[in-house]
Amino acid sequence: MKTRILLSASALALVAGTAASIAMDYRGGNSAFGDWHGDTPGLMRKIEAGDVAKPGATPSAANRSKVVPRPADAQIKTMPGFTVSDFATGLEGARVIRIAPNGDVFVSQSMPSGSVTVLRPSKDGKVESKETFVTGLTRAYGIAFYPPGPNPKYVYIGMEGKVVRLPYKNGDMKATGPAEDIVTDLKIGGGHWTRDVSFTPDGKLMYVAVGSGSNIAEEMSPRPADLKAWEKAPHSLGSTWGAKEEWRANVLTYTPDGKNKQVYAAGIRNCSGLTVQPGTGTVFCATNERDLLGDNTPPDYVTSVKKGGYYGWPWYYIGANEDTRPDGGARPDLKGKAIVPDVLLQPHSAPLGLSFNPGGMFPAEWKGDAFVAMHGSWNRSLHTGYKIVRLPFKNNKATGEYQDFVLGFTAPSGEENVWGRPVDTQFMHDGSLLFSDDANGVIYRVTYSKDKVAAAEDTGAKKN
Amino acid sequence: MRPFICAALALAVVGFAADARAADALDGTLATCWSCHGVEGASNDHTLPILWGQKAKYIEKQIRDFREGDREDQIMSSMASSIKKDDISRAASLIAAKAWPKTQAVAAAAPDSIEACKGCHGSDLTGGESPEGPAPRLAGQFAEYLTAQMEAFAHGDRRNQKTMQAMMKSLKPDERAGLAAYLAGL
């Protein structure tokens, strides 16, 4: 199922002449799966639930990437009309990016410093000044301004075990007061340490993402005698239990004062990129699915998240595919109850950050599309991920497809090496896209110019 | 009496077969470990620790810590949980029984502060039992890995041993790097 759609120059005008429509390679079914060798800017893929490979179809491989410094001749690849340049360098451990109402760029540097850095952009898209907003917050990760809107009073930060908040007003580059504990009971341990934070558009509820305490719940204490009762509020359908896994693999909600903890959704192995879709208020997560089942299973995903929704972990994945590894026995009662996520992604690509294009710079029909950063694989024979992809949306709903957008960080000198591991994406007020790389501590900026596409087509035409 | 003996024998045979199968499965699991930690005991990637010949008790504790989340690493958390609970100590003994590989690291000058390490890590720094629990072999480990672990203790990113945390915090980054270079060259 590999179709090559080539649009002629005249057809191009009809589809508004975006770079995306010049030459589009489309892969579905089995051909949608693969490693970085098959990646190319513009390539569109669609993976469907029926395509999911059986566990063990290939052995579970271990191939950890080795981070090398950015080579002098490094070339990032993207689609025609786009330019990728350095926005900021020297930001060790750069992770989550959020933009303040005044345009200042907040970046968490989770390790080793546990800080949040503020970068003030200049008119020409460079960094005019830089300050440390706060430091010493262990594994500082998620950042959210509160209340939502033009005049936030606090910056909330998700960190190890906690959500804290610091006083803030527009223009502050350093916190004017100490961190105040808001939530102090977030579970820690087990590798899934990122704690993302976001607010409902009305500011009444705070979402906090807490990943699972393990790959596949190899150890859960004895199951609750009455599962039906267990799954009532404050838990929900498919909630895990025990010292290690209760309140994990969840999106939780609290009131902004840190009270009224509830499970909003369960079975999401590690929700990162927790994002509220502008306009609809729908919550979205990007998720790394479970390890050790082989190269092409199970798909990672991006999905809208329903209140009370169950997304499968640990007993099921991508709908009704059963996993027999969790401790404490099967859950036939949950079969068929796990929601199939909206967009399935190549297994092991490790999607993390996610943001929606507000428009203003990128091609007009890309407005509302999601851009996802993939940190890249270790549990796959050949590397996959290590790129930024675009998820097309129509009427605020994902089409299920995704497109290679920015790539080229893999194998600069040897298959095992990489020089970039994208973590988060975020749009600036001018519609350009920032993305972070925690491998070499860089924030990149992606800009777009129609003139550049036209120029590229001109020279292309002359060559023909 | 006779039927009873037969049953016992049959049981013994079944038990043996099950043991052999378990050993095979464990070998298979351990083979995956070498794809990162090195098929001959040392990886080309010096951010990955040498495991072969490491102290069994120490390996066992680390595997448990990764599983239980007391030591955080996303990859190792999954890998450690791929070993069945009942197989952990046997896996650790198998790894410990292999010969510690020789690396290309060059000898470096001994910093004064190295004396403080010997009480727990052994007079020749090849590890041992300490009052604080099993202390790993440091001699001949990769400098890149050792430095990263010392930094992790100092910054609180590795927290499965309080004394090591306090000790590493009290050193300056260049002191930690100096210790790592010396240890790697042993």
Side-chain angles (χ1 to χ4, degrees):
Chain A
M1 243 291 281
K2 176 176 166 184
T3 9
R4 194 169 175 84
I5 307 168
L6 271 169
L7 298 177
S8 69
S10 56
L12 211 127
L14 292 175
V15 291
T18 70
S21 16
I22 296 172
M24 196 169 83
D25 219 348
Y26 187 94
R27 298 192 191 170
N30 279 337
S31 74
F33 294 86
D35 60 85
W36 71 272
H37 291 271
D39 289 351
T40 183
L43 173 66
M44 190 73 88
R45 292 184 175 85
K46 185 166 186 176
I47 295 176
E48 289 172 269
D51 304 333
V52 174
K54 290 265 167 303
T58 58
S60 168
N63 179 17
R64 178 172 170 264
S65 56
K66 180 167 166 52
V67 171
V68 297
R70 180 163 67 178
D73 61 350
Q75 282 213 324
I76 294 184
K77 296 184 191 120
T78 182
M79 294 169 68
F82 293 89
T83 307
V84 183
S85 48
D86 284 356
F87 177 69
T89 56
L91 293 174
E92 190 178 9
R95 283 265 172 172
V96 169
I97 311 173
R98 289 292 179 270
I99 313 289
N102 74 340
D104 283 352
V105 178
F106 281 60
V107 180
S108 60
Q109 293 176 257
S110 310
M111 279 181 278
S113 59
S115 54
V116 172
T117 300
V118 185
L119 308 166
R120 177 155 296 164
S122 61
K123 291 232 153 45
D124 58 349
K126 300 264 178 302
V127 175
E128 193 176 274
S129 53
K130 172 180 161 184
E131 282 288 355
T132 299
F133 185 74
V134 62
T135 190
L137 302 180
T138 306
R139 296 196 167 110
Y141 189 79
I143 304 169
F145 298 94
Y146 177 84
N151 289 304
K153 294 194 166 55
Y154 295 100
V155 175
Y156 279 64
I157 297 174
M159 58 178 287
E160 185 174 79
K162 297 200 280 195
V163 176
V164 298
R165 73 178 184 193
L166 296 110
Y168 176 77
K169 61 180 185 313
N170 283 325
D172 286 355
M173 293 185 79
K174 278 171 174 288
T176 52
E180 174 193 354
D181 285 351
I182 295 297
V183 173
T184 53
D185 63 351
L186 301 181
K187 293 258 170 91
I188 64 171
H192 294 150
W193 57 266
T194 61
R195 296 291 173 265
D196 232 330
V197 186
S198 198
F199 288 95
T200 52
D202 63 7
K204 288 198 173 132
L205 282 180
M206 170 171 69
Y207 298 108
V208 181
V210 185
S212 69
S214 59
N215 176 36
I216 185 67
E218 296 84 353
E219 279 159 53
M220 284 204 283
S221 43
R223 60 167 76 186
D226 184 350
L227 280 174
K228 281 271 166 304
W230 177 257
E231 289 175 342
K232 293 216 165 74
H235 293 118
S236 70
L237 183 71
S239 284
T240 39
W241 54 81
K244 229 176 125 177
E245 302 293 357
E246 188 187 0
W247 308 113
R248 298 196 71 158
N250 285 157
V251 173
L252 304 173
T253 54
Y254 296 83
T255 42
D257 57 3
K259 301 205 165 77
N260 303 303
K261 175 162 73 172
Q262 283 256 355
V263 174
Y264 180 80
I268 306 180
R269 184 169 172 271
N270 191 17
C271 169
S272 13
L274 177 77
T275 300
V276 174
Q277 186 180 33
T280 65
T282 308
V283 186
F284 276 78
C285 288
T287 296
N288 290 203
E289 257 297 346
R290 60 208 69 192
D291 303 326
L292 312 179
L293 291 181
D295 273 4
N296 289 333
T297 205
D300 289 339
Y301 61 81
V302 166
T303 195
S304 55
V305 181
K306 293 191 181 70
K307 184 169 166 44
Y310 169 59
Y311 292 81
W313 192 87
W315 300 283
Y316 295 92
Y317 55 92
I318 317 299
N321 298 290
E322 189 169 7
D323 198 321
T324 54
R325 296 173 294 173
D327 187 27
R331 288 291 302 272
D333 58 309
L334 288 174
K335 182 138 188 140
K337 294 200 175 147
I339 298 170
V340 177
D342 299 342
V343 188
L344 307 187
L345 306 166
Q346 165 62 41
H348 310 299
S349 16
L352 291 179
L354 157 79
S355 61
F356 290 94
N357 173 23
M361 183 184 287
F362 284 12
E365 59 280 35
W366 285 13
K367 189 171 174 189
D369 290 354
F371 287 73
V372 177
M374 293 177 160
H375 206 220
S377 65
W378 67 269
N379 187 210
R380 197 175 186 290
S381 55
L382 289 169
H383 288 156
T384 197
Y386 304 94
K387 62 186 172 185
I388 308 292
V389 296
R390 176 177 78 96
L391 279 47
F393 273 63
K394 282 208 180 92
N395 304 323
N396 295 317
K397 292 214 156 47
T399 65
E401 301 155 309
Y402 70 104
Q403 181 174 46
D404 286 349
F405 180 52
V406 177
L407 51 101
F409 303 102
T410 37
S413 48
E415 191 71 34
E416 74 279 17
N417 295 340
V418 302
W419 58 273
R421 304 198 68 183
V423 178
D424 197 17
T425 64
Q426 201 63 220
F427 283 88
M428 297 181 82
H429 289 341
D430 67 359
S432 61
L433 177 70
L434 298 179
F435 71 90
S436 55
D437 159 34
D438 72 339
N440 278 311
V442 182
I443 308 281
Y444 292 95
R445 178 163 176 257
V446 189
T447 52
Y448 176 72
S449 150
K450 260 201 193 123
D451 302 345
K452 241 189 107 198
V453 188
E457 277 161 15
D458 266 5
T459 48
K462 270 176 211 138
K463 268 186 212 138
N464 294 339
Chain B
M1 267 316 266
R2 208 179 158 81
F4 175 68
I5 291 172
C6 267
L9 242 171
L11 262 178
V13 169
V14 169
F16 177 77
D19 265 2
R21 268 200 309 279
D24 286 348
L26 185 57
D27 279 348
T29 307
L30 293 182
T32 322
C33 315
W34 316 144
S35 51
C36 277
H37 289 283
V39 283
E40 282 164 7
S43 173
N44 293 328
D45 180 347
H46 295 183
T47 62
L48 291 163
I50 293 171
L51 300 183
W52 287 18
Q54 185 54 277
K55 295 286 173 210
K57 286 244 168 59
Y58 173 74
I59 298 174
E60 184 172 341
K61 175 173 183 284
Q62 300 311 304
I63 293 175
R64 290 188 199 283
D65 285 358
F66 282 126
R67 283 169 68 98
E68 274 143 43
D70 296 329
R71 181 170 173 189
E72 288 244 22
D73 181 82
Q74 205 153 327
I75 294 176
M76 272 313 301
S77 157
S78 271
M79 289 312 306
S81 63
S82 74
I83 302 176
K84 291 198 178 60
K85 214 178 194 168
D86 299 340
D87 283 345
I88 296 174
S89 73
R90 203 152 52 90
S93 309
L94 287 173
I95 298 170
K98 293 178 177 284
W100 184 272
K102 182 123 193 64
T103 70
Q104 308 287 314
V106 290
D112 294 340
S113 49
I114 195 71
E115 292 309 318
C117 320
K118 294 183 174 169
C120 293
H121 289 278
S123 54
D124 56 358
L125 297 156
T126 58
E129 279 304 317
S130 86
E132 306 283 338
R137 172 173 181 150
L138 304 174
Q141 183 60 279
F142 292 126
E144 246 178 289
Y145 171 74
L146 290 174
T147 307
Q149 293 306 311
M150 291 196 241
E151 293 298 315
F153 279 127
H155 290 105
D157 288 324
R158 179 169 171 182
R159 279 157 302 186
N160 57 346
Q161 223 291 321
K162 296 280 173 277
T163 311
M164 276 302 303
Q165 273 178 259
M167 197 132 147
M168 290 299 122
K169 219 178 200 138
S170 71
L171 297 171
K172 294 191 188 70
D174 58 328
E175 290 175 312
R176 293 192 288 262
L179 283 162
Y182 169 72
L183 289 164
L186 289 177

